[in-house]
Amino acid sequence: MRVRRAGTAAAVLCGALVLASCGPTQHTGSADHTPPVRTAKSAAKLPVPRGKGSTVDDDFNGDGHRDLVLDDLVKAQAHTDDAGIGVVYGGARGLTPGARQLLSPVKQGAATKGQLPAVFEAEATCDLDGDGFTDLVVSTDPPYDGQGQPPVPLQILFGSPSGLTGKAVKLTVPARARAGKDWPDQPVCGDFDGDDAQDLVLHASGSQLTYLRGPFTRKGAPKAATAPVPAPGELPTGPALDVDRDGYDDLIVRTAEGTTTSALVLGGPTGPTRTGALLPAGIDVALGRFGKGRALDAAIGAMGGTALRYDLPTADRGALSSPGSMLDAADFDGDGLSELVSSGSRIKVFRGRTAGLSAAGMVTVEPTAVGTTRVLAVGDFDGDGRADLVARTYQGEKKDTVAVFPGVRKGLVAAEPTVTFSTSAFLSP
Protein backbone atom coordinates (compact mmCIF):
# COMPACT_ATOMS: atom_id res chain seq x y z
CA MET A 1 0.00 0.00 0.00
CA ARG A 2 1.19 3.48 -0.86
CA VAL A 3 1.85 5.89 2.01
CA ARG A 4 1.46 9.43 0.85
CA ARG A 5 0.28 12.76 2.05
CA ALA A 6 -3.47 12.87 1.61
CA GLY A 7 -4.54 15.11 -1.20
CA THR A 8 -1.71 14.41 -3.63
CA ALA A 9 -2.50 12.86 -6.98
CA ALA A 10 -4.19 9.59 -6.25
CA ALA A 11 -5.73 7.49 -5.54
CA VAL A 12 -5.00 8.31 -6.41
CA LEU A 13 -7.14 6.41 -12.21
CA CYS A 14 -8.24 4.99 -26.20
CA GLY A 15 -8.65 8.46 -26.77
CA ALA A 16 -10.96 11.06 -25.40
CA LEU A 17 -14.13 8.99 -25.54
CA VAL A 18 -15.45 6.88 -22.73
CA LEU A 19 -14.70 3.20 -22.90
CA ALA A 20 -17.30 0.65 -23.89
CA SER A 21 -16.44 -3.03 -23.76
CA CYS A 22 -15.26 -4.62 -27.00
CA GLY A 23 -15.96 -8.10 -25.72
CA PRO A 24 -15.64 -10.27 -22.65
CA THR A 25 -12.53 -10.09 -20.52
CA GLN A 26 -11.81 -13.35 -18.73
CA HIS A 27 -9.12 -14.50 -16.31
CA THR A 28 -8.13 -18.00 -17.26
CA GLY A 29 -5.57 -18.45 -14.49
CA SER A 30 -2.79 -18.92 -17.03
CA ALA A 31 0.44 -17.51 -15.69
CA ASP A 32 1.06 -15.08 -18.56
CA HIS A 33 -2.44 -14.65 -19.96
CA THR A 34 -3.47 -11.03 -20.44
CA PRO A 35 -7.06 -10.24 -21.48
CA PRO A 36 -7.51 -8.08 -24.58
CA VAL A 37 -7.44 -4.31 -24.21
CA ARG A 38 -10.86 -2.74 -24.00
CA THR A 39 -10.87 0.55 -25.92
CA ALA A 40 -13.27 3.46 -26.38
CA LYS A 41 -16.20 3.03 -28.77
CA SER A 42 -18.63 5.76 -27.75
CA ALA A 43 -19.16 8.54 -25.24
CA ALA A 44 -22.36 6.99 -23.92
CA LYS A 45 -22.44 6.57 -20.17
CA LEU A 46 -23.38 3.33 -18.49
CA PRO A 47 -25.48 3.10 -15.32
CA VAL A 48 -23.70 2.65 -12.02
CA PRO A 49 -24.38 -0.94 -10.86
CA ARG A 50 -26.44 -1.19 -7.69
CA GLY A 51 -24.93 -3.02 -4.75
CA LYS A 52 -26.04 -4.38 -1.39
CA GLY A 53 -22.92 -3.56 0.63
CA SER A 54 -19.49 -5.16 0.84
CA THR A 55 -16.16 -5.09 2.68
CA VAL A 56 -14.12 -4.45 -0.48
CA ASP A 57 -11.82 -1.42 -0.36
CA ASP A 58 -13.00 1.65 -2.26
CA ASP A 59 -16.39 0.13 -3.10
CA PHE A 60 -18.72 3.14 -3.08
CA ASN A 61 -21.76 1.30 -4.46
CA GLY A 62 -21.21 -1.86 -2.40
CA ASP A 63 -21.37 -4.32 -5.30
CA GLY A 64 -18.18 -6.18 -4.32
CA HIS A 65 -15.99 -4.54 -6.99
CA ARG A 66 -13.31 -1.96 -6.34
CA ASP A 67 -13.80 1.55 -7.76
CA LEU A 68 -11.24 4.22 -8.75
CA VAL A 69 -11.06 7.86 -7.67
CA LEU A 70 -9.33 10.42 -9.91
CA ASP A 71 -8.32 13.97 -9.03
CA ASP A 72 -6.93 16.58 -11.45
CA LEU A 73 -9.08 15.68 -14.43
CA VAL A 74 -8.12 17.08 -17.81
CA LYS A 75 -9.97 20.20 -18.86
CA ALA A 76 -11.93 21.29 -21.91
CA GLN A 77 -9.81 24.44 -21.98
CA ALA A 78 -6.40 25.04 -20.43
CA HIS A 79 -6.09 27.28 -17.35
CA THR A 80 -9.72 26.85 -16.30
CA ASP A 81 -11.06 25.84 -12.88
CA ASP A 82 -10.65 22.30 -11.58
CA ALA A 83 -13.16 20.01 -13.27
CA GLY A 84 -13.85 18.10 -10.03
CA ILE A 85 -13.37 14.50 -8.87
CA GLY A 86 -13.96 11.55 -11.15
CA VAL A 87 -15.09 8.08 -10.04
CA VAL A 88 -14.87 5.01 -12.27
CA TYR A 89 -16.92 2.10 -10.95
CA GLY A 90 -15.76 -1.50 -11.09
CA GLY A 91 -17.53 -4.56 -12.39
CA ALA A 92 -17.02 -8.29 -12.83
CA ARG A 93 -14.30 -7.66 -15.41
CA GLY A 94 -12.62 -4.78 -13.61
CA LEU A 95 -12.95 -1.04 -14.05
CA THR A 96 -15.72 0.04 -16.41
CA PRO A 97 -15.07 3.68 -17.39
CA GLY A 98 -18.53 3.94 -18.94
CA ALA A 99 -19.92 3.63 -15.40
CA ARG A 100 -18.46 6.94 -14.31
CA GLN A 101 -19.43 9.84 -12.10
CA LEU A 102 -18.25 13.44 -11.85
CA LEU A 103 -18.32 14.99 -8.38
CA SER A 104 -18.27 18.78 -8.36
CA PRO A 105 -18.38 21.35 -5.55
CA VAL A 106 -21.42 22.98 -7.16
CA LYS A 107 -23.51 19.81 -7.19
CA GLN A 108 -22.11 17.85 -4.26
CA GLY A 109 -20.40 20.41 -2.01
CA ALA A 110 -21.86 21.70 1.26
CA ALA A 111 -22.00 25.47 1.57
CA THR A 112 -20.30 27.42 4.39
CA LYS A 113 -21.92 30.76 5.28
CA GLY A 114 -23.88 30.51 2.04
CA GLN A 115 -20.76 29.97 -0.06
CA LEU A 116 -20.12 26.79 -2.01
CA PRO A 117 -16.51 25.58 -2.16
CA ALA A 118 -14.41 26.18 -5.26
CA VAL A 119 -11.96 23.42 -4.33
CA PHE A 120 -13.05 19.77 -4.19
CA GLU A 121 -10.20 17.28 -3.80
CA ALA A 122 -10.29 13.61 -2.81
CA GLU A 123 -8.43 12.94 0.44
CA ALA A 124 -9.34 9.56 1.98
CA THR A 125 -11.71 6.61 1.48
CA CYS A 126 -13.26 4.27 4.06
CA ASP A 127 -16.64 3.16 5.39
CA LEU A 128 -17.07 5.77 8.10
CA ASP A 129 -20.65 4.89 9.10
CA GLY A 130 -20.23 1.11 8.86
CA ASP A 131 -23.09 0.49 6.41
CA GLY A 132 -21.07 -1.53 3.86
CA PHE A 133 -20.56 1.31 1.40
CA THR A 134 -17.23 3.16 1.16
CA ASP A 135 -17.37 6.90 1.83
CA LEU A 136 -15.16 9.65 0.39
CA VAL A 137 -13.55 12.42 2.44
CA VAL A 138 -12.90 15.55 0.38
CA SER A 139 -11.00 18.77 1.07
CA THR A 140 -12.63 22.15 0.37
CA ASP A 141 -11.83 25.85 0.81
CA PRO A 142 -14.36 27.35 3.26
CA PRO A 143 -14.22 31.15 3.77
CA TYR A 144 -11.87 32.26 6.56
CA ASP A 145 -11.06 35.81 7.68
CA GLY A 146 -7.89 34.84 9.55
CA GLN A 147 -9.42 35.36 12.98
CA GLY A 148 -9.41 32.50 15.47
CA GLN A 149 -9.33 28.86 14.42
CA PRO A 150 -10.07 28.21 10.75
CA PRO A 151 -13.19 26.24 9.86
CA VAL A 152 -12.98 22.52 9.15
CA PRO A 153 -12.24 22.15 5.41
CA LEU A 154 -13.20 18.46 5.21
CA GLN A 155 -16.52 17.12 3.95
CA ILE A 156 -17.88 13.57 3.58
CA LEU A 157 -19.70 12.04 0.64
CA PHE A 158 -21.44 8.87 1.79
CA GLY A 159 -21.62 5.76 -0.37
CA SER A 160 -24.92 4.07 -1.20
CA PRO A 161 -26.32 1.28 -3.41
CA SER A 162 -26.08 3.80 -6.27
CA GLY A 163 -22.61 5.05 -5.35
CA LEU A 164 -21.65 8.51 -4.14
CA THR A 165 -25.01 10.24 -4.39
CA GLY A 166 -26.41 13.26 -2.60
CA LYS A 167 -24.77 16.25 -0.99
CA ALA A 168 -21.64 16.16 1.13
CA VAL A 169 -21.82 16.88 4.86
CA LYS A 170 -19.21 18.76 6.84
CA LEU A 171 -16.94 16.71 9.08
CA THR A 172 -17.49 17.62 12.73
CA VAL A 173 -14.28 18.14 14.70
CA PRO A 174 -15.13 18.88 18.36
CA ALA A 175 -13.33 21.82 19.93
CA ARG A 176 -11.64 19.55 22.50
CA ALA A 177 -9.92 17.67 19.65
CA ARG A 178 -8.34 20.81 18.14
CA ALA A 179 -5.25 22.78 19.07
CA GLY A 180 -3.71 26.01 17.81
CA LYS A 181 -4.81 27.78 14.64
CA ASP A 182 -3.86 25.25 11.99
CA TRP A 183 -6.36 23.83 9.52
CA PRO A 184 -7.63 20.39 10.63
CA ASP A 185 -6.69 18.46 7.52
CA GLN A 186 -4.61 15.54 6.14
CA PRO A 187 -7.19 12.85 7.03
CA VAL A 188 -6.12 9.22 7.38
CA CYS A 189 -8.69 6.42 7.82
CA GLY A 190 -8.06 3.36 9.99
CA ASP A 191 -9.30 1.27 12.90
CA PHE A 192 -6.79 2.61 15.39
CA ASP A 193 -8.54 1.39 18.56
CA GLY A 194 -9.47 -2.11 17.34
CA ASP A 195 -13.26 -1.81 17.70
CA ASP A 196 -13.97 -2.68 14.03
CA ALA A 197 -15.14 0.87 13.26
CA GLN A 198 -13.22 3.23 10.98
CA ASP A 199 -11.65 6.24 12.70
CA LEU A 200 -10.03 9.40 11.33
CA VAL A 201 -6.68 10.95 12.22
CA LEU A 202 -6.06 14.58 11.21
CA HIS A 203 -3.29 17.13 11.54
CA ALA A 204 -3.95 19.33 14.59
CA SER A 205 -1.06 21.77 15.14
CA GLY A 206 2.61 21.50 15.96
CA SER A 207 3.44 17.87 16.60
CA GLN A 208 -0.11 16.89 17.50
CA LEU A 209 -2.82 14.78 15.90
CA THR A 210 -6.59 15.00 16.09
CA TYR A 211 -8.10 11.55 16.73
CA LEU A 212 -11.80 11.04 15.91
CA ARG A 213 -13.32 7.68 16.85
CA GLY A 214 -15.84 6.02 14.55
CA PRO A 215 -18.39 5.12 13.56
CA PHE A 216 -19.54 8.49 12.25
CA THR A 217 -23.12 9.68 11.94
CA ARG A 218 -24.62 10.64 8.61
CA LYS A 219 -24.26 14.24 9.77
CA GLY A 220 -20.46 13.84 9.94
CA ALA A 221 -20.06 13.57 13.72
CA PRO A 222 -17.64 11.05 15.30
CA LYS A 223 -18.65 8.66 18.06
CA ALA A 224 -16.07 10.29 20.33
CA ALA A 225 -13.02 12.55 20.23
CA THR A 226 -10.04 12.90 22.52
CA ALA A 227 -7.75 15.80 23.28
CA PRO A 228 -5.01 16.25 20.64
CA VAL A 229 -2.47 13.40 20.70
CA PRO A 230 1.28 14.18 20.81
CA ALA A 231 3.00 12.88 17.67
CA PRO A 232 6.54 12.55 16.26
CA GLY A 233 5.75 14.81 13.30
CA GLU A 234 3.38 17.13 11.48
CA LEU A 235 1.79 15.16 8.65
CA PRO A 236 -0.21 11.94 9.11
CA THR A 237 -0.08 9.84 5.93
CA GLY A 238 -2.06 6.86 4.75
CA PRO A 239 -3.03 4.22 4.14
CA ALA A 240 -3.09 2.93 7.70
CA LEU A 241 -2.16 -0.74 8.19
CA ASP A 242 -1.73 -3.11 11.11
CA VAL A 243 2.06 -3.25 10.88
CA ASP A 244 2.74 -5.45 13.92
CA ARG A 245 -0.44 -7.57 13.63
CA ASP A 246 -1.73 -6.71 17.09
CA GLY A 247 -5.26 -5.89 15.92
CA TYR A 248 -4.80 -2.11 15.77
CA ASP A 249 -4.07 -0.07 12.66
CA ASP A 250 -0.87 2.00 12.59
CA LEU A 251 0.18 4.93 10.41
CA ILE A 252 3.22 6.88 9.25
CA VAL A 253 3.68 10.47 10.45
CA ARG A 254 6.15 12.66 8.54
CA THR A 255 7.94 15.60 10.10
CA ALA A 256 7.41 17.86 7.07
CA GLU A 257 6.81 17.83 3.34
CA GLY A 258 9.52 16.93 0.85
CA THR A 259 12.61 14.96 1.86
CA THR A 260 12.12 14.43 5.57
CA THR A 261 12.22 11.91 8.38
CA SER A 262 9.14 10.03 9.53
CA ALA A 263 8.02 7.65 12.24
CA LEU A 264 5.58 4.82 12.74
CA VAL A 265 2.73 5.65 15.13
CA LEU A 266 1.14 2.56 16.67
CA GLY A 267 -2.53 2.11 17.39
CA GLY A 268 -3.88 0.65 20.61
CA PRO A 269 -6.96 0.55 22.88
CA THR A 270 -6.80 4.35 23.25
CA GLY A 271 -5.95 5.02 19.62
CA PRO A 272 -2.73 6.07 17.83
CA THR A 273 -0.77 7.21 20.87
CA ARG A 274 2.55 5.29 20.76
CA THR A 275 5.59 6.08 18.65
CA GLY A 276 7.24 3.06 17.04
CA ALA A 277 10.23 2.90 14.70
CA LEU A 278 11.86 6.15 13.58
CA LEU A 279 12.61 6.15 9.86
CA PRO A 280 15.35 8.04 7.99
CA ALA A 281 14.83 10.92 5.61
CA GLY A 282 13.19 10.22 2.27
CA ILE A 283 10.66 11.55 -0.17
CA ASP A 284 8.06 8.80 0.23
CA VAL A 285 7.34 5.73 2.35
CA ALA A 286 5.54 2.50 1.44
CA LEU A 287 4.52 -0.29 3.82
CA GLY A 288 4.38 -3.91 2.69
CA ARG A 289 5.35 -7.49 3.50
CA PHE A 290 8.41 -7.56 1.24
CA GLY A 291 9.94 -10.64 2.88
CA LYS A 292 9.01 -13.47 5.21
CA GLY A 293 8.16 -12.20 8.68
CA ARG A 294 5.38 -11.40 11.07
CA ALA A 295 5.47 -7.62 10.78
CA LEU A 296 5.37 -5.34 7.74
CA ASP A 297 8.40 -3.57 6.28
CA ALA A 298 8.90 0.04 5.25
CA ALA A 299 10.55 1.22 2.05
CA ILE A 300 11.89 4.77 1.98
CA GLY A 301 12.28 6.39 -1.42
CA ALA A 302 15.26 8.64 -2.15
CA MET A 303 16.26 10.55 -5.27
CA GLY A 304 19.93 9.68 -4.72
CA GLY A 305 19.50 6.18 -6.05
CA THR A 306 18.54 4.01 -3.09
CA ALA A 307 15.24 2.86 -1.68
CA LEU A 308 16.03 1.83 1.89
CA ARG A 309 14.09 -1.05 3.43
CA TYR A 310 13.58 -1.29 7.17
CA ASP A 311 12.04 -4.24 8.94
CA LEU A 312 9.44 -3.04 11.42
CA PRO A 313 9.08 -2.45 14.24
CA THR A 314 12.82 -3.00 14.91
CA ALA A 315 14.08 -0.90 11.97
CA ASP A 316 16.87 -3.21 10.81
CA ARG A 317 18.36 -1.66 7.73
CA GLY A 318 18.43 -3.21 4.28
CA ALA A 319 19.00 -1.60 0.89
CA LEU A 320 17.83 -1.85 -2.69
CA SER A 321 19.71 0.08 -5.34
CA SER A 322 17.02 2.00 -7.20
CA PRO A 323 16.10 5.68 -7.28
CA GLY A 324 12.48 6.35 -6.50
CA SER A 325 10.64 9.50 -5.50
CA MET A 326 7.20 7.84 -5.21
CA LEU A 327 6.58 4.37 -3.80
CA ASP A 328 3.71 1.88 -3.67
CA ALA A 329 3.46 -1.71 -2.47
CA ALA A 330 1.09 -4.50 -3.49
CA ASP A 331 1.03 -8.24 -4.17
CA PHE A 332 0.92 -8.53 -7.98
CA ASP A 333 1.66 -12.26 -8.31
CA GLY A 334 -0.58 -13.52 -5.49
CA ASP A 335 2.16 -15.22 -3.45
CA GLY A 336 1.37 -13.35 -0.21
CA LEU A 337 4.44 -11.10 -0.40
CA SER A 338 4.41 -7.48 -1.48
CA GLU A 339 6.15 -6.08 -4.52
CA LEU A 340 7.62 -2.57 -4.41
CA VAL A 341 6.61 -0.08 -7.09
CA SER A 342 9.17 2.68 -7.54
CA SER A 343 8.26 5.54 -9.85
CA GLY A 344 9.95 8.71 -10.94
CA SER A 345 11.22 8.99 -14.47
CA ARG A 346 10.26 5.30 -14.93
CA ILE A 347 7.89 2.87 -13.19
CA LYS A 348 9.69 -0.20 -11.85
CA VAL A 349 8.26 -3.17 -9.95
CA PHE A 350 10.60 -5.15 -7.65
CA ARG A 351 9.70 -8.66 -6.58
CA GLY A 352 9.13 -9.51 -2.93
CA ARG A 353 10.84 -12.75 -1.88
CA THR A 354 11.29 -14.74 1.31
CA ALA A 355 14.64 -13.04 1.93
CA GLY A 356 13.25 -9.61 1.04
CA LEU A 357 13.07 -7.37 -2.00
CA SER A 358 15.13 -8.34 -5.01
CA ALA A 359 16.14 -6.61 -8.23
CA ALA A 360 16.10 -10.02 -9.94
CA GLY A 361 13.10 -10.18 -12.23
CA MET A 362 12.45 -6.43 -11.92
CA VAL A 363 9.73 -5.28 -14.34
CA THR A 364 9.54 -1.90 -16.04
CA VAL A 365 6.03 -0.67 -16.89
CA GLU A 366 6.08 1.05 -20.26
CA PRO A 367 3.75 4.04 -20.72
CA THR A 368 0.95 3.77 -23.27
CA ALA A 369 1.57 7.27 -24.64
CA VAL A 370 4.27 9.92 -24.79
CA GLY A 371 4.25 12.15 -21.72
CA THR A 372 4.81 12.09 -17.98
CA THR A 373 3.60 8.83 -16.44
CA ARG A 374 2.68 8.40 -12.77
CA VAL A 375 1.16 5.58 -10.72
CA LEU A 376 -2.43 6.40 -9.76
CA ALA A 377 -3.36 3.37 -7.72
CA VAL A 378 -2.51 -0.25 -6.93
CA GLY A 379 -5.19 -2.74 -5.92
CA ASP A 380 -7.24 -5.71 -7.07
CA PHE A 381 -9.73 -4.15 -9.47
CA ASP A 382 -10.65 -7.32 -11.38
CA GLY A 383 -11.16 -9.61 -8.37
CA ASP A 384 -8.61 -12.28 -9.32
CA GLY A 385 -6.69 -12.07 -6.03
CA ARG A 386 -3.75 -10.21 -7.57
CA ALA A 387 -3.16 -6.47 -7.43
CA ASP A 388 -3.33 -4.38 -10.60
CA LEU A 389 -1.41 -1.20 -11.41
CA VAL A 390 -3.20 1.90 -12.67
CA ALA A 391 -0.93 4.41 -14.39
CA ARG A 392 -1.71 7.79 -15.87
CA THR A 393 0.25 9.52 -18.62
CA TYR A 394 -0.15 13.31 -18.72
CA GLN A 395 0.06 14.94 -22.13
CA GLY A 396 -0.88 18.44 -21.00
CA GLU A 397 -3.89 19.97 -19.26
CA LYS A 398 -6.28 18.82 -22.01
CA LYS A 399 -5.07 15.29 -22.75
CA ASP A 400 -4.13 12.19 -20.77
CA THR A 401 -4.33 8.39 -20.86
CA VAL A 402 -5.18 6.11 -17.92
CA ALA A 403 -4.12 2.46 -18.29
CA VAL A 404 -4.81 -0.56 -16.07
CA PHE A 405 -2.04 -3.21 -16.04
CA PRO A 406 -3.21 -6.46 -14.38
CA GLY A 407 -1.03 -8.44 -12.02
CA VAL A 408 0.13 -11.85 -13.29
CA ARG A 409 1.72 -14.87 -11.61
CA LYS A 410 4.79 -14.72 -13.85
CA GLY A 411 6.18 -11.36 -14.81
CA LEU A 412 4.41 -9.55 -11.94
CA VAL A 413 2.63 -7.02 -14.17
CA ALA A 414 1.26 -7.63 -17.66
CA ALA A 415 3.16 -5.98 -20.49
CA GLU A 416 -0.04 -4.55 -21.98
CA PRO A 417 -2.98 -2.87 -20.23
CA THR A 418 -6.44 -4.41 -20.22
CA VAL A 419 -8.23 -1.05 -20.03
CA THR A 420 -7.30 2.40 -21.33
CA PHE A 421 -9.30 5.63 -21.24
CA SER A 422 -8.96 9.36 -20.80
CA THR A 423 -10.28 11.48 -17.96
CA SER A 424 -11.66 13.83 -20.62
CA ALA A 425 -14.59 11.38 -20.70
CA PHE A 426 -15.86 13.04 -17.52
CA LEU A 427 -16.42 16.26 -19.46
CA SER A 428 -19.04 14.67 -21.73
CA PRO A 429 -22.69 14.76 -20.59
Side-chain angles (χ1 to χ4, degrees):
M1 291 288 186
R2 166 81 187 281
V3 177
R4 75 188 77 197
R5 180 186 171 192
T8 58
V12 353
L13 322 180
C14 157
L17 299 180
V18 70
L19 181 155
S21 176
C22 292
T25 302
Q26 298 178 348
H27 294 278
T28 66
S30 174
D32 299 307
H33 174 74
T34 301
V37 178
R38 292 181 279 145
T39 53
K41 289 296 182 183
S42 74
K45 288 180 65 176
L46 299 174
V48 174
R50 287 185 62 84
K52 297 181 180 180
S54 81
T55 58
V56 172
D57 291 339
D58 295 351
D59 184 8
F60 303 111
N61 58 335
D63 66 347
H65 304 294
R66 188 167 186 149
D67 310 319
L68 178 69
V69 178
L70 302 111
D71 263 327
D72 303 320
L73 307 178
V74 297
K75 305 170 183 177
Q77 297 181 345
H79 311 299
T80 57
D81 291 339
D82 189 346
I85 301 169
V87 179
V88 174
Y89 288 88
R93 295 174 294 168
L95 290 174
T96 307
R100 68 185 189 270
Q101 181 181 23
L102 178 64
L103 307 172
S104 72
V106 173
K107 292 185 178 180
Q108 279 82 26
T112 300
K113 296 181 178 179
Q115 180 176 318
L116 286 171
V119 174
F120 217 52
E121 297 182 348
E123 294 284 354
T125 59
C126 58
D127 184 3
L128 290 171
D129 58 351
D131 64 351
F133 302 92
T134 302
D135 311 311
L136 177 66
V137 182
V138 300
S139 181
T140 67
D141 59 341
Y144 175 52
D145 60 8
Q147 303 298 312
Q149 288 185 325
V152 177
L154 302 176
Q155 299 184 6
I156 304 171
L157 283 163
F158 287 100
S160 75
S162 300
L164 295 168
T165 59
K167 281 277 194 178
V169 301
K170 300 176 188 177
L171 175 68
T172 299
V173 181
R176 63 181 175 278
R178 299 191 61 175
K181 296 183 178 181
D182 287 358
W183 290 86
D185 55 10
Q186 313 304 322
V188 176
C189 291
D191 180 11
F192 301 106
D193 57 4
D195 65 352
D196 294 326
Q198 288 292 303
D199 314 314
L200 282 176
V201 167
L202 317 176
H203 165 73
S205 68
S207 293
Q208 297 180 93
L209 303 176
T210 289
Y211 170 50
L212 306 177
R213 291 187 59 197
F216 289 71
T217 70
R218 299 287 291 197
K219 294 183 178 181
K223 176 182 178 180
T226 66
V229 179
E234 293 284 317
L235 301 176
T237 59
L241 297 169
D242 184 3
V243 171
D244 51 5
R245 294 189 179 182
D246 64 351
Y248 306 99
D249 280 344
D250 315 306
L251 74 157
I252 296 290
V253 176
R254 297 173 63 79
T255 53
E257 295 187 52
T259 300
T260 183
T261 57
S262 58
L264 181 69
V265 173
L266 302 171
T270 58
T273 59
R274 300 172 294 148
T275 297
L278 302 178
L279 301 175
I283 298 175
D284 200 7
V285 181
L287 299 175
R289 187 160 287 104
F290 302 120
K292 185 178 181 180
R294 179 178 180 274
L296 298 187
D297 309 308
I300 299 93
M303 289 298 292
T306 303
L308 301 175
R309 184 178 63 80
Y310 281 69
D311 294 321
L312 298 177
T314 58
D316 296 326
R317 179 173 175 168
L320 177 69
S321 180
S322 174
S325 56
M326 300 177 69
L327 302 179
D328 293 84
D331 180 6
F332 293 104
D333 56 3
D335 66 353
L337 297 177
S338 302
E339 276 68 56
L340 177 67
V341 181
S342 174
S343 60
S345 58
R346 302 176 72 187
I347 298 175
K348 301 177 182 179
V349 182
F350 294 90
R351 186 183 299 275
R353 293 184 171 178
T354 301
L357 288 171
S358 172
M362 182 270 293
V363 173
T364 299
V365 179
E366 299 295 339
T368 56
V370 177
T372 301
T373 300
R374 293 288 182 265
V375 176
L376 273 181
V378 292
D380 184 7
F381 290 96
D382 55 18
D384 66 352
R386 299 186 294 269
D388 311 308
L389 187 150
V390 185
R392 180 177 181 180
T393 299
Y394 297 83
Q395 300 160 282
E397 288 187 85
K398 299 170 64 176
K399 188 176 181 181
D400 70 349
T401 301
V402 178
V404 182
F405 296 85
V408 293
R409 287 192 177 93
K410 291 184 179 180
L412 299 181
V413 178
E416 299 293 334
T418 51
V419 175
T420 60
F421 63 95
S422 170
T423 65
S424 61
F426 290 95
L427 303 180
S428 61

